[in-house]
Amino acid sequence: TTAPSIVANSVSLTGFSGANDEFITGDTLTIALDETDITETNSVASVTADLSAFGGSASETLTLSGSTYSTSITVGADLDAASASATVTVTDTAGNTATQSATNAIDTTPPVDVSGITPDLVAASDTGDSDADDETSDDTPDVEVDLSSVNTDLVAGDVVEVIDASDNDAVVGSYTIQSGDVGNISTQTITLSSLSEGSHDLKVRVKDAAGNVGTESSTALSVTVDTTISAVDLAAGETDNDSAVD
């Protein structure tokens, strides 16, 4: 029997929000095909789309509403191609198929490189023997990140992340760049989430709205968290208390 056919350039992709009509992570991508653009001898049994390049499945079902077959997905993160294709397959009741692809750009450009920036423990959070030994009894310390050298390359919506390289790059603090920060921001203080006892190697990186991640700090800030009371400190406290009683 005769296979169905699809009018050229009739598959549409909509929902992009990035610059230059690019899809970014989190966008709602809708793929559509009007039934009047399908020619078939038999009835249409199914219309599916391979949206794996955008973070969907390889066989998304398009449902007919009115005169349009369509479906929507949320664009995924960590996509590889700067330009991705979605292929629609029309299958008729005899099992014959017709396919057509549509291509759209994806923002895969990484944000600013901060390899030359290392976070610094704020002196008030540095409670060790000195305020510069990077030892603290505060498990939610503040760090400063000097962004003055890259502030013109930042974009509103970029997220400056502090990561713990000693804990599988877990994000332990962040700051979202505002429109007024672009070209102006200098040193930003970021309060970290609760850190466990011990040593932490802290670095900085920038993630953009598309989910792309720039090059992280090449050098880590090594911070030691110690929230326990030492025997020496406890003994000193007992001595002070004894003296007060006497």
Side-chain angles (χ1 to χ4, degrees):
T1 58
T2 304
S5 62
I6 305 171
V7 174
N9 303 315
S10 57
V11 174
S12 66
L13 296 173
T14 58
F16 42 75
S17 67
N20 304 313
D21 296 339
E22 296 172 321
F23 281 106
I24 67 173
T25 299
D27 279 349
T28 299
L29 178 155
T30 298
I31 186 168
L33 173 64
D34 196 289
E35 67 172 340
T36 61
D37 291 324
I38 302 171
T39 300
E40 81 286 339
T41 302
N42 304 292
S43 299
V44 172
S46 65
V47 179
T48 60
D50 181 353
L51 297 177
S52 56
F54 295 92
S57 77
S59 185
E60 301 277 355
T61 298
L62 279 68
T63 57
L64 182 63
S65 177
S67 62
T68 303
Y69 288 95
S70 67
T71 192
S72 299
I73 65 163
T74 299
V75 176
D78 302 322
L79 302 177
D80 295 328
S83 183
S85 293
T87 300
V88 168
T89 299
V90 175
T91 304
D92 67 17
T93 53
N96 302 305
T97 62
T99 61
Q100 186 176 118
S101 296
T103 301
N104 205 96
I106 299 175
D107 181 357
T108 59
T109 303
V112 62
D113 178 335
V114 293
S115 58
I117 299 174
T118 301
D120 184 39
L121 188 64
V122 172
S125 292
D126 198 330
T127 60
D129 292 336
S130 77
D131 62 6
D133 60 7
D134 297 327
E135 296 182 359
T136 182
S137 60
D138 182 359
D139 62 357
T140 58
D142 291 338
V143 296
E144 292 179 334
V145 180
D146 185 355
L147 299 168
S148 58
S149 63
V150 297
N151 61 20
T152 58
D153 297 315
L154 293 167
V155 176
D158 283 348
V159 179
V160 179
E161 297 181 331
V162 180
I163 60 173
D164 188 350
S166 58
D167 186 21
N168 297 313
D169 290 346
V171 178
V172 294
S174 65
Y175 173 75
T176 301
I177 298 297
Q178 307 300 307
S179 57
D181 293 329
V182 178
N184 298 307
I185 194 170
S186 54
T187 300
Q188 178 63 43
T189 299
I190 299 175
T191 300
L192 306 186
S193 57
S194 184
L195 300 177
S196 61
E197 295 279 311
S199 180
H200 298 268
D201 294 328
L202 305 179
K203 294 184 175 184
V204 176
R205 69 185 182 193
V206 176
K207 179 181 286 187
D208 67 16
N212 302 306
V213 178
T215 304
E216 66 190 38
S217 308
S218 58
T219 303
L221 165 68
S222 182
V223 171
T224 299
V225 176
D226 183 2
T227 61
T228 60
I229 301 175
S230 70
V232 172
D233 291 337
L234 185 59
E238 290 174 345
T239 300
D240 291 341
N241 291 334
D242 291 343
S243 298
V245 172
D246 292 340

